[in-house]
mmCIF file of all heavy atoms in Angstrom:
data_model
loop_
_atom_site.group_PDB
_atom_site.id
_atom_site.type_symbol
_atom_site.label_atom_id
_atom_site.label_comp_id
_atom_site.label_asym_id
_atom_site.label_seq_id
_atom_site.Cartn_x
_atom_site.Cartn_y
_atom_site.Cartn_z
ATOM 1 N N LYS A 159 100.041 72.505 111.175
ATOM 2 C CA LYS A 159 100.628 73.785 111.379
ATOM 3 C C LYS A 159 100.781 74.534 110.076
ATOM 4 O O LYS A 159 100.503 75.692 109.972
ATOM 5 C CB LYS A 159 102.031 73.631 112.035
ATOM 6 C CG LYS A 159 101.957 73.261 113.430
ATOM 7 C CD LYS A 159 103.388 73.060 114.064
ATOM 8 C CE LYS A 159 103.327 72.606 115.461
ATOM 9 N NZ LYS A 159 104.687 72.384 115.993
ATOM 10 N N ALA A 160 101.165 73.807 109.019
ATOM 11 C CA ALA A 160 101.317 74.456 107.650
ATOM 12 C C ALA A 160 99.941 74.900 107.159
ATOM 13 O O ALA A 160 99.841 75.976 106.594
ATOM 14 C CB ALA A 160 101.922 73.496 106.696
ATOM 15 N N LYS A 161 98.932 74.089 107.351
ATOM 16 C CA LYS A 161 97.589 74.483 106.964
ATOM 17 C C LYS A 161 97.106 75.730 107.678
ATOM 18 O O LYS A 161 96.516 76.641 107.099
ATOM 19 C CB LYS A 161 96.596 73.292 107.171
ATOM 20 C CG LYS A 161 95.206 73.595 106.750
ATOM 21 C CD LYS A 161 94.298 72.338 106.978
ATOM 22 C CE LYS A 161 94.089 72.182 108.457
ATOM 23 N NZ LYS A 161 93.040 71.239 108.810
ATOM 24 N N ASP A 162 97.293 75.679 109.009
ATOM 25 C CA ASP A 162 96.852 76.937 109.810
ATOM 26 C C ASP A 162 97.648 78.163 109.379
ATOM 27 O O ASP A 162 97.063 79.236 109.268
ATOM 28 C CB ASP A 162 97.100 76.601 111.304
ATOM 29 C CG ASP A 162 96.160 75.533 111.820
ATOM 30 O OD1 ASP A 162 95.150 75.302 111.200
ATOM 31 O OD2 ASP A 162 96.452 75.001 112.916
ATOM 32 N N LYS A 163 98.911 77.998 109.097
ATOM 33 C CA LYS A 163 99.737 79.184 108.660
ATOM 34 C C LYS A 163 99.228 79.705 107.326
ATOM 35 O O LYS A 163 99.088 80.863 107.103
ATOM 36 C CB LYS A 163 101.219 78.744 108.530
ATOM 37 C CG LYS A 163 102.155 79.909 108.118
ATOM 38 C CD LYS A 163 103.609 79.424 107.983
ATOM 39 C CE LYS A 163 104.377 80.612 107.463
ATOM 40 N NZ LYS A 163 105.758 80.161 107.104
ATOM 41 N N GLY A 164 98.904 78.784 106.418
ATOM 42 C CA GLY A 164 98.413 79.133 105.105
ATOM 43 C C GLY A 164 97.052 79.908 105.272
ATOM 44 O O GLY A 164 96.810 80.869 104.576
ATOM 45 N N ARG A 165 96.194 79.406 106.112
ATOM 46 C CA ARG A 165 94.898 80.060 106.372
ATOM 47 C C ARG A 165 95.123 81.506 106.912
ATOM 48 O O ARG A 165 94.408 82.382 106.501
ATOM 49 C CB ARG A 165 94.072 79.241 107.336
ATOM 50 C CG ARG A 165 93.408 78.061 106.728
ATOM 51 C CD ARG A 165 92.481 77.382 107.718
ATOM 52 N NE ARG A 165 91.855 76.266 107.102
ATOM 53 C CZ ARG A 165 91.166 75.354 107.772
ATOM 54 N NH1 ARG A 165 91.042 75.418 109.036
ATOM 55 N NH2 ARG A 165 90.606 74.355 107.133
ATOM 56 N N ARG A 166 96.033 81.633 107.869
ATOM 57 C CA ARG A 166 96.298 82.919 108.491
ATOM 58 C C ARG A 166 96.782 83.916 107.403
ATOM 59 O O ARG A 166 96.350 85.042 107.334
ATOM 60 C CB ARG A 166 97.250 82.844 109.579
ATOM 61 C CG ARG A 166 96.732 82.458 110.947
ATOM 62 C CD ARG A 166 97.723 82.642 112.079
ATOM 63 N NE ARG A 166 99.028 82.005 111.852
ATOM 64 C CZ ARG A 166 99.310 80.695 112.104
ATOM 65 N NH1 ARG A 166 98.413 79.979 112.627
ATOM 66 N NH2 ARG A 166 100.499 80.238 111.890
ATOM 67 N N GLU A 167 97.761 83.407 106.594
ATOM 68 C CA GLU A 167 98.312 84.306 105.545
ATOM 69 C C GLU A 167 97.215 84.685 104.510
ATOM 70 O O GLU A 167 97.148 85.829 104.083
ATOM 71 C CB GLU A 167 99.477 83.606 104.840
ATOM 72 C CG GLU A 167 100.668 83.544 105.718
ATOM 73 C CD GLU A 167 101.844 82.797 105.073
ATOM 74 O OE1 GLU A 167 101.734 82.349 103.876
ATOM 75 O OE2 GLU A 167 102.880 82.612 105.736
ATOM 76 N N LEU A 168 96.408 83.729 104.147
ATOM 77 C CA LEU A 168 95.297 84.019 103.224
ATOM 78 C C LEU A 168 94.303 84.987 103.791
ATOM 79 O O LEU A 168 93.901 85.916 103.104
ATOM 80 C CB LEU A 168 94.608 82.687 102.785
ATOM 81 C CG LEU A 168 93.474 82.804 101.790
ATOM 82 C CD1 LEU A 168 94.060 83.321 100.448
ATOM 83 C CD2 LEU A 168 92.845 81.476 101.555
ATOM 84 N N ARG A 169 93.962 84.847 105.039
ATOM 85 C CA ARG A 169 93.056 85.730 105.716
ATOM 86 C C ARG A 169 93.630 87.163 105.831
ATOM 87 O O ARG A 169 92.971 88.162 105.536
ATOM 88 C CB ARG A 169 92.709 85.211 107.123
ATOM 89 C CG ARG A 169 91.610 85.943 107.852
ATOM 90 C CD ARG A 169 91.238 85.299 109.152
ATOM 91 N NE ARG A 169 90.664 84.045 108.919
ATOM 92 C CZ ARG A 169 90.972 82.897 109.543
ATOM 93 N NH1 ARG A 169 91.929 82.887 110.453
ATOM 94 N NH2 ARG A 169 90.381 81.749 109.248
ATOM 95 N N ASP A 170 94.923 87.258 106.199
ATOM 96 C CA ASP A 170 95.597 88.551 106.209
ATOM 97 C C ASP A 170 95.624 89.203 104.847
ATOM 98 O O ASP A 170 95.337 90.428 104.756
ATOM 99 C CB ASP A 170 96.978 88.388 106.761
ATOM 100 C CG ASP A 170 97.052 87.983 108.201
ATOM 101 O OD1 ASP A 170 96.014 88.163 108.932
ATOM 102 O OD2 ASP A 170 98.128 87.543 108.693
ATOM 103 N N GLN A 171 95.927 88.427 103.830
ATOM 104 C CA GLN A 171 95.938 89.000 102.451
ATOM 105 C C GLN A 171 94.551 89.461 102.060
ATOM 106 O O GLN A 171 94.347 90.511 101.420
ATOM 107 C CB GLN A 171 96.503 87.990 101.505
ATOM 108 C CG GLN A 171 96.814 88.615 100.125
ATOM 109 C CD GLN A 171 97.517 87.680 99.247
ATOM 110 O OE1 GLN A 171 97.353 86.496 99.264
ATOM 111 N NE2 GLN A 171 98.281 88.212 98.293
#
Side-chain angles (χ1 to χ4, degrees):
K159 287 178 184 177
K161 180 179 72 170
D162 291 342
K163 180 182 177 188
R165 282 185 180 169
R166 276 192 309 275
E167 289 177 2
L168 183 63
R169 188 174 294 131
D170 291 344
Q171 190 173 31

